[in-house]
């Protein structure tokens, strides 16, 4: 079994004494070990990163140099996609057909932020008088990025690209459940010309290594994709250290189906929204809000199609639904099903753990009719267990869509142009798709409201969040008032 060590200062390091086993969730086979990085090593890596930032080798590099490195990294990643596809499939249990669709787009994030590094400009404000006020954006310093297991390479690249484009030194801690593809990125960036020590990739448990990274007063920003509990664990210390946090914390996305949408197209939309990645995405269409006028016909067809979804080995091109990440995820799905039944829900299909050839962490694609106030309808499963809710009107669909503490993504399916915009405007979410779901682009800000998090990935918003603004005020014609002039005001004698 291979060991994948931390990538620090341009090289893989000596393995740590304590190591973590990485499991293929589809086969339960051990595929690698990684470092469990202790506190003293974390502190050493942060110090090294800070030294890297202070030298200016990247933080003060020309915009054209950053553009060139990120562009080369994009080309290198594109040339090596087959090996990354295989690795992502192995460590996540997601079908290879999904990885082949997703990973070819990842280089676009590197290219987009490379372009921002080259073209983003400062401003001159309308300062009163004969004064010029220039605003320039500077990198923050050493930034820490905590990335998840469900889209290991995609989400890490989104964060890394924005931070490097802005000139920061970056420390990434991938999830211990699926870290291998991210740990491979160190060599790729080195080959692209990134100075050693500018990107450090550190593995370990979130509760230990991740915590140590986020508690350091030497870091300048935390970018987290994870759960609300993780955010609450790190936020108090970050607040005390005046460290800003971008946090993408999850969702409970409604898929709003209206009568003007054909039943066939609506069902296909729901299957795609709900069961990609076995429901393990932050914008999984985990609540299907279906107008009563089409509800019965829609649910009948949806159920028959869901039963036919192919569960199988992720490496098989025919497999449509792969594994969930762990046995704990299987148990979580089963608990939501049991609670839904206890609350009066009705299982239309699925509802049970399963396996492939007696192995793996699989759960049947599951549809449950339930109330809008049920636990299943209000809280994140992070698995293929979907709530179906009958709604009597457009107003009720909007009301139910907004009835959770999450507000990340939502989709609206209708052929009524006026209704599409009216409903989208009234849904409380950071991302609303009209006749689409899971659509993503490096230029499109990604992030939610309420308990779904703070700040944005993607777009100009992400780039600027990795910078600080400096005002330089130039007086070219306004006579200053000197402190030693005679004071004539009677109040001063």
């Amino acid at each position: 079994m291979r060991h994948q060590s931390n990538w620090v200062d341009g090289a893989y390091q000596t393995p740590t004494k304590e190591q973590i086993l990485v499991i293929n969730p589809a086969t339960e086979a051990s595929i690698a070990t990684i470092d469990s990085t202790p506190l003293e090593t974390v502190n050493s890596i942060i110090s090294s990163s800070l030294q890297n930032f202070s030298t200016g080798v990247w933080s003060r590099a020309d915009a054209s140099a950053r553009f060139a490195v990120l562009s080369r990294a994009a080309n290198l990643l594109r040339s090596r996609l087959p090996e990354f596809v295989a690795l992502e499939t192995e460590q996540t249990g997601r079908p290879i057909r999904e990885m082949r669709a997703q990973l070819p787009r990842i280089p676009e994030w590197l290219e987009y932020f490379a372009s921002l590094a080259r073209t983003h400009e400062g401003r001159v404000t309308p300062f009163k008088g004969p004064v010029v006020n220039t605003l320039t954006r500077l990198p923050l310093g050493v930034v820490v990025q905590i990335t998840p297991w469900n889209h290991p390479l995609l989400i890490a690249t989104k964060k890394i690209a924005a931070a490097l484009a802005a000139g920061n030194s970056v420390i990434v801690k991938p999830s211990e459940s699926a870290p291998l593809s991210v740990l491979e990125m160190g060599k790729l960036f080195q080959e692209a010309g990134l100075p050693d020590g500018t990107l450090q990739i550190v593995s370990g448990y979130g509760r230990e290594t991740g915590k140590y990274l986020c508690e350091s007063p030497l870091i300048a920003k935390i970018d987290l994709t994870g759960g609300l509990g993780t955010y609450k664990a790190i936020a108090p210390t970050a607040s005390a250290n005046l460290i800003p946090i971008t946090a993408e914390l999850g969702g409970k996305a409604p898929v709003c189906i209206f009568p003007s949408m054909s039943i066939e197209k609506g069902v296909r939309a729901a299957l795609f929204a709900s069961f990609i990645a076995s429901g393990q995405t932050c914008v999984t269409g985990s609540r299907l809000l279906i107008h009563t006028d089409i509800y019965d016909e829609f649910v009948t067809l949806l159920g028959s199609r869901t039963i036919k979804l192919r569960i199988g080995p992720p490496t098989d091109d025919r497999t449509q639904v792969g594994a969930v990440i762990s046995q704990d995820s299987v148990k979580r799905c089963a608990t939501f099903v049991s609670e839904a039944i206890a609350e009066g829900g009705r299982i239309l299909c699925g509802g049970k753990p399963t396996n492939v050839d007696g192995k793996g962490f699989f759960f049947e694609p599951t549809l449950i009719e339930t109330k809008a106030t049920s636990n299943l309808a209000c809280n994140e499963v992070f698995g293929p267990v979907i709530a179906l809710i009958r709604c009597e009107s457009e107003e009720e669909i909007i009301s139910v869509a907004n009835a959770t503490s999450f507000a990340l993504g939502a989709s609206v399916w209708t052929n009524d142009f006026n209704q599409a915009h009216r409903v989208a405007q009234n849904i409380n979410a950071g991302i609303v798709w009209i006749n689409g779901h899971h659509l993503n682009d490096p230029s499109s800000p990604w992030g939610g409201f309420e308990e779904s998090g703070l700040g944005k990935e993607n777009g100009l918003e992400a780039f600027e969040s990795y910078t600080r603004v400096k005002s330089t005020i130039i007086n070219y014609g306004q006579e200053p008032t000197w402190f030693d002039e005679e004071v004539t005001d009677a109040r001063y004698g």
Side-chain angles (χ1 to χ4, degrees):
M1 191 189 314
R2 69 184 177 118
H3 179 81
Q4 190 75 65
S5 296
N6 291 338
W7 177 264
V8 178
D9 295 336
Y12 287 115
Q13 303 299 292
T14 302
T16 57
K17 182 177 180 180
E18 184 181 351
Q19 298 175 6
I20 300 169
L21 197 61
V22 181
I23 304 293
N24 181 330
T27 65
E28 301 181 52
S30 302
I31 56 177
T33 56
I34 58 170
D35 292 337
S36 178
T37 310
L39 176 59
E40 59 272 18
T41 305
V42 166
N43 288 338
S44 174
I45 293 169
I46 292 172
S47 295
S48 177
S49 297
L50 190 59
Q51 175 63 25
N52 169 274
F53 182 81
S54 299
T55 66
V57 64
W58 184 253
S59 60
R60 293 192 292 274
D62 289 342
S64 58
R66 295 180 197 162
F67 169 84
V69 169
L70 292 174
S71 297
R72 284 195 294 268
N75 291 333
L76 288 169
L77 179 56
R78 194 170 278 117
S79 71
R80 297 173 188 175
L81 283 175
E83 64 190 78
F84 279 103
V85 165
L87 194 52
E88 290 275 274
T89 299
E90 183 180 32
Q91 68 180 351
T92 66
R94 289 182 59 179
I96 196 166
R97 58 191 287 170
E98 290 184 10
M99 296 294 90
R100 285 179 179 148
Q102 183 184 87
L103 266 63
R105 291 211 59 204
I106 296 178
E108 295 177 28
W109 268 262
L110 293 163
E111 291 166 339
Y112 173 80
F113 284 106
S115 297
L116 277 187
R118 189 70 183 91
T119 62
H120 190 275
E121 299 175 349
R123 292 191 292 126
V124 176
T125 71
F127 205 104
K128 184 177 180 179
V131 174
V132 174
N133 181 190
T134 64
L135 302 186
T136 52
R137 288 189 173 270
L138 306 173
L140 297 173
V142 177
V143 300
V144 167
Q145 299 173 338
I146 309 295
T147 64
W149 49 260
N150 58 332
H151 303 287
L153 195 61
L154 172 63
I155 293 178
T157 304
K158 289 163 81 173
K159 297 180 190 298
I160 291 168
L164 289 180
N168 296 282
S169 297
V170 180
I171 304 175
V172 182
K173 205 237 35 113
S175 168
E176 61 272 19
S177 297
L180 302 179
S181 57
V182 180
L183 283 162
E184 289 289 335
M185 291 295 281
K187 291 186 298 183
L188 186 147
F189 273 99
Q190 184 184 59
E191 188 175 340
L194 186 70
D196 290 345
T198 307
L199 174 64
Q200 321 273 42
I201 306 173
V202 181
S203 60
Y205 292 110
R207 64 181 181 270
E208 295 172 356
T209 304
K211 180 173 178 286
Y212 303 148
L213 285 166
C214 294
E215 287 182 343
S216 172
L218 301 179
I219 65 173
K221 178 182 170 71
I222 298 167
D223 193 336
L224 161 72
T225 296
L228 183 60
T230 302
Y231 170 78
K232 288 183 176 180
I234 67 175
T237 303
S239 176
N241 291 331
L242 298 179
I243 296 169
I245 302 177
T246 293
E248 203 272 81
L249 304 177
K252 193 68 183 175
V255 179
C256 307
I257 311 288
F258 289 94
S260 64
M261 179 60 58
S262 74
I263 301 294
E264 171 67 24
K265 186 173 181 179
V267 165
R268 292 177 66 188
L271 290 171
F272 177 73
S274 300
F275 296 121
I276 286 291
S278 297
Q280 298 174 116
T281 80
C282 51
V283 291
T284 289
S286 55
R287 294 183 292 157
L288 305 184
L289 313 186
I290 307 159
H291 196 283
T292 188
D293 290 354
I294 57 170
Y295 183 88
D296 293 330
E297 184 180 356
F298 185 96
V299 168
T300 297
L301 182 58
L302 179 66
S304 68
R305 295 282 180 84
T306 301
I307 291 170
K308 294 176 182 177
L309 291 174
R310 292 188 294 273
I311 302 172
T315 52
D316 188 334
D317 283 325
R318 297 169 298 174
T319 295
Q320 294 171 295
V321 178
V324 294
I325 194 64
S326 66
Q327 186 61 44
D328 284 344
S329 292
V330 173
K331 292 177 182 178
R332 180 176 173 84
C333 291
T335 298
F336 268 93
V337 171
S338 299
E339 290 176 349
I341 294 170
E343 291 183 288
R346 183 168 75 96
I347 298 178
L348 300 181
C349 63
K352 299 187 297 295
T354 186
N355 58 65
V356 175
D357 298 327
K359 296 288 186 179
F361 311 127
F362 293 83
F363 202 87
E364 296 174 335
T366 301
L367 302 174
I368 302 178
E369 288 184 318
T370 187
K371 299 177 293 185
T373 56
S374 68
N375 185 52
L376 176 61
C378 294
N379 291 298
E380 190 171 41
V381 180
F382 229 66
V385 182
I386 308 303
L388 274 60
I389 302 168
R390 183 194 294 264
C391 296
E392 300 294 326
S393 65
E394 175 185 310
E395 291 73 22
E396 185 178 5
I397 286 178
I398 293 170
S399 176
V400 174
N402 292 336
T404 78
S405 58
F406 296 103
L408 178 55
S411 61
V412 178
W413 295 85
T414 176
N415 286 323
D416 182 332
F417 178 86
N418 292 332
Q419 181 180 62
H421 286 275
R422 185 170 60 243
V423 173
Q425 183 177 18
N426 284 287
I427 287 179
N428 183 40
I431 308 157
V432 180
W433 295 285
I434 295 175
N435 295 341
H437 204 102
H438 292 297
L439 299 174
N440 195 3
D441 190 87
S443 67
S444 178
W446 181 284
F449 311 142
E450 318 302 340
E451 290 188 2
S452 284
L454 305 166
K456 300 290 184 181
E457 293 180 331
N458 297 352
L460 189 59
E461 287 77 4
F463 177 82
E464 291 187 344
S465 77
Y466 276 102
T467 67
R468 48 186 176 163
V469 179
K470 181 176 183 177
S471 282
T472 302
I473 302 169
I474 307 158
N475 175 13
Y476 66 88
Q478 181 170 293
E479 188 66 25
T481 300
W482 303 109
F483 185 70
D484 60 352
E485 288 181 349
E486 182 180 354
V487 178
T488 58
D489 192 313
R491 290 175 299 177
Y492 299 102

